[in-house]
Amino acid sequence: MSKGFQFKQFFVAHERSAMKVGTDGVLLGLWAALPKNGAVLDIGAGTGLVSLMLAQRGEALTLDAVELDSEACAQAQDNVAASPFAGRITLHQGDINAFVGGPYRLIVSNPPFFSPDVRSPHAGRDQARHISALPAPVLAANCARLGGEEVAMVLPWQAQHQWCEPMAEQGYHLYRRCAVYSVAGKSEPVRALLQWRRQPGALDCSELVLREPDGRWTAAFRALGRDFYLNF
């Protein structure tokens, strides 16, 4: 039996992917503000998790999902094929720098952000995790090249500035930011959910706490994820 995670409407197998189903991807899939219709691009699709979540949330959306690793892309293909959304998600195996497509109403990415000196025993996992595999300026330039009207990402809270400047250089304006706290009472967020658009405007800031001090999921996170998590 495949190892993975069962959501309410689909299953995500991940034994062949370097990056497993995790909270970062789930947060991005839950939080990103979606257009009512049109095309969306998922850069670094991994298991296909974020694409599947966006397809469930946006019934009029079509999605392209690009993944460099061949094994992860094959697993994502299987996950999409077994889902109710197979007709609206297209997987592409290859380098985003060579990908041709667009324009897109929205581009999403859970990009690699670890320093190259943080090594694991697995080259595929390093490729998926390390910022050197897809530097922030390169990702930002591809978002602009592919005609992304809006871009949403999940990033470490302390590292978000590494992406904000390259995005601004490509003409994007940050208009949504959510500070994600792992546990109630923590002094500093662990993740930043960020969304940019072409038009300048006010920045909408919010906060999300994932767990209570006793380990229970917070009411806010349960409300956000209730259409996906079986026990919510």
Side-chain angles (χ1 to χ4, degrees):
M1 184 176 180
S2 295
K3 296 180 180 179
F5 199 93
Q6 180 67 58
F7 293 90
K8 286 184 176 178
Q9 294 193 34
F10 55 87
F11 178 76
V12 181
H14 61 198
E15 74 273 7
R16 286 183 280 156
S17 177
M19 295 303 290
K20 311 305 182 186
V21 173
T23 306
D24 285 358
V26 169
L27 285 168
L28 181 60
L30 292 173
W31 180 85
L34 304 184
K36 292 182 178 179
N37 51 49
V40 174
L41 174 64
D42 181 3
I43 297 178
T47 60
L49 168 65
V50 176
S51 291
L52 287 163
M53 294 183 72
L54 299 188
Q56 178 179 323
R57 290 179 54 207
E59 296 181 357
L61 300 178
T62 58
L63 294 104
D64 284 323
V66 180
E67 171 55 45
L68 179 61
D69 183 78
S70 58
E71 281 295 306
C73 190
Q75 182 126 71
Q77 290 269 20
D78 292 344
N79 289 335
V80 167
S83 79
F85 318 115
R88 295 192 285 118
I89 303 174
T90 304
L91 269 296
H92 306 267
Q93 194 271 313
D95 189 334
I96 189 61
N97 295 300
F99 178 71
V100 178
Y104 293 98
R105 301 289 303 278
L106 173 68
I107 295 176
V108 296
S109 186
N110 177 8
F113 51 71
F114 283 93
S115 168
D117 59 359
V118 179
R119 292 289 176 183
S120 77
H122 305 287
R125 184 168 173 81
D126 287 343
Q127 176 178 275
R129 286 158 43 101
H130 291 162
I131 190 172
S132 58
L134 186 60
V138 174
L139 177 54
N142 275 298
C143 290
R145 176 181 67 85
L146 295 166
E149 294 179 18
E150 297 197 13
V151 180
M153 297 184 202
V154 56
L155 297 165
W157 180 258
Q158 292 186 331
Q160 58 184 293
H161 67 278
Q162 297 179 42
W163 276 263
C164 286
E165 185 174 341
M167 291 297 292
E169 290 175 351
Q170 294 295 334
Y172 287 101
H173 303 269
L174 185 66
Y175 81 100
R176 297 179 71 222
R177 178 172 61 197
C178 179
V180 180
Y181 294 82
S182 58
V183 181
K186 291 290 186 180
S187 60
E188 183 173 274
V190 292
R191 291 290 184 266
L193 291 162
L194 306 172
Q195 190 152 349
W196 295 263
R197 62 186 176 191
R198 287 299 192 181
Q199 301 80 14
L203 175 60
D204 177 18
C205 295
S206 62
E207 295 182 354
L208 176 66
V209 180
L210 300 182
R211 291 186 183 271
E212 302 289 359
D214 62 6
R216 291 179 297 114
W217 295 113
T218 62
F221 186 57
R222 291 176 68 89
L224 188 64
R226 63 188 174 192
D227 290 336
F228 292 88
Y229 280 95
L230 294 176
N231 59 346
F232 280 16

